[in-house]
Amino acid sequence: TMLVRGGSRYLRSQAYEYASTNGGLLYNEFGTAAGVGLAGRAVSLMRGVLAGGTTDNACVSVVPTADGRAVCLSEPTRASYAIDPKTLETLGAHSYKGSDLPGLLHTAHPIPYGDGFVNVATALFPVPKYTVYKSDGNFQHPRRICDLAPSQNFPDVSWHHSFAVGGRYAIVIETPCVYNVAALVGVADAAHIAFDWRDNAPTTLRVVDIEKGEEVTKRTLREPCFFFHAANAFVEGTTLHVDVGYYDDASMLNGLALDRMRAAPSTNGATPSRLTRLSIELGSDADVRATRLDGPAAGEALLVVP
């Protein structure tokens, strides 16, 4: 007989401590403003700024590190906390220990590479850019690999919740889902949570050679699309494949509200994705091939997890 035991503990972040004491939000969270109405949102924004700016609610992913600890993450870089993976005790805010810090935002899904990790950071201002960077096995001492200027028209910057790594290549997928800064700080509304969709903008795949530290190709899809997570990436001969949960646009983000998540997709619940392979011929300028994958993720059994 196999016995499986589980446990859970709240991460002792500033966001948690404030909610426990005051029964409300300290910061504007993803899709949820801390204040009600314009005046309430302005007050909550100032309160959050005085408490560090972005939320430190590290609620998205858990990354095991070489020193036996783990780091809990969300997209703001300050939403990074070290925990003991055995007791789940919060050990304190995670320190990146390096002068080449990734910036205000990065993806919530760093990918193991070599003896460390690779991730992608996003700068909204003063100079919009995406930065592919590498850190060590303790998710510290970040080192810049390559900066990428956004393909979107200034000042639009694409949102990256995740990215992909296949072989020696990092693949940054720029979609027409761009930050709405006013909505991001909680003082306005956006079409999709804190983002807008640019109907006339393409989806572009940016491929960075991690070892050389440079962008090696940039390809645009014929039909724009949105993705939330990449499922896999690998090199086959001279072809780079990236498997993503494919959406026609970013409207699926509105389905992440709790009432929509609790409903069935057929009754306006969370939107399923289509597992799709994007293939890039590295040795030519051929168009990106988009292939719907066979198997349980195709047909009626679509990917329900974004």
Side-chain angles (χ1 to χ4, degrees), residues 51-141:
T54 62
T55 182
D56 68 341
N57 182 20
C59 60
V60 176
S61 62
V62 180
V63 179
T65 54
D67 59 4
R69 303 191 304 171
V71 178
C72 300
L73 296 171
S74 189
E75 290 181 26
T77 51
R78 72 182 300 266
S80 306
Y81 274 84
I83 65 167
D84 182 323
K86 294 182 180 179
T87 65
L88 304 184
E89 177 187 0
T90 302
L91 302 177
H94 175 67
S95 171
Y96 284 90
K97 294 185 178 179
S99 58
D100 204 9
L101 293 175
L104 182 67
L105 301 164
H106 59 178
T107 85
H109 298 287
I111 297 176
Y113 184 85
D115 59 356
F117 299 91
V118 172
N119 204 359
V120 178
T122 298
L124 302 179
F125 51 82
V127 179
K129 63 180 178 179
Y130 316 120
T131 299
V132 180
Y133 72 93
K134 190 176 186 296
S135 58
D136 64 20
N138 292 325
F139 203 49
Q140 294 176 324
H141 302 289

Side-chain angles (χ1 to χ4, degrees), residues 193-215:
I193 309 295
F195 314 99
D196 293 322
W197 181 260
R198 301 293 189 235
D199 288 319
N200 59 344
T203 293
T204 304
L205 277 65
R206 315 286 295 271
V207 180
V208 171
D209 188 317
I210 298 171
E211 299 302 323
K212 290 184 177 180
E214 62 184 27
E215 184 176 19

Side-chain angles (χ1 to χ4, degrees), residues 225-300:
C225 69
F226 174 74
F227 89 109
F228 202 33
H229 294 106
N232 188 28
F234 62 98
V235 177
E236 184 180 40
T238 59
T239 305
L240 176 61
H241 301 288
V242 187
D243 300 340
V244 299
Y246 184 105
Y247 298 91
D248 293 328
D249 56 37
S251 59
M252 62 78 59
L253 291 173
N254 300 328
L256 298 181
L258 286 178
D259 57 345
R260 294 276 299 276
M261 290 288 286
R262 289 166 177 158
S266 60
T267 58
N268 203 32
T271 306
S273 65
R274 305 188 299 275
L275 186 60
T276 301
R277 176 162 294 168
L278 306 176
S279 301
I280 304 170
E281 294 296 337
L282 296 173
S284 73
D285 294 327
D287 291 341
V288 178
R289 299 194 313 275
T291 306
R292 176 83 173 274
L293 295 182
D294 295 328
E300 295 301 318

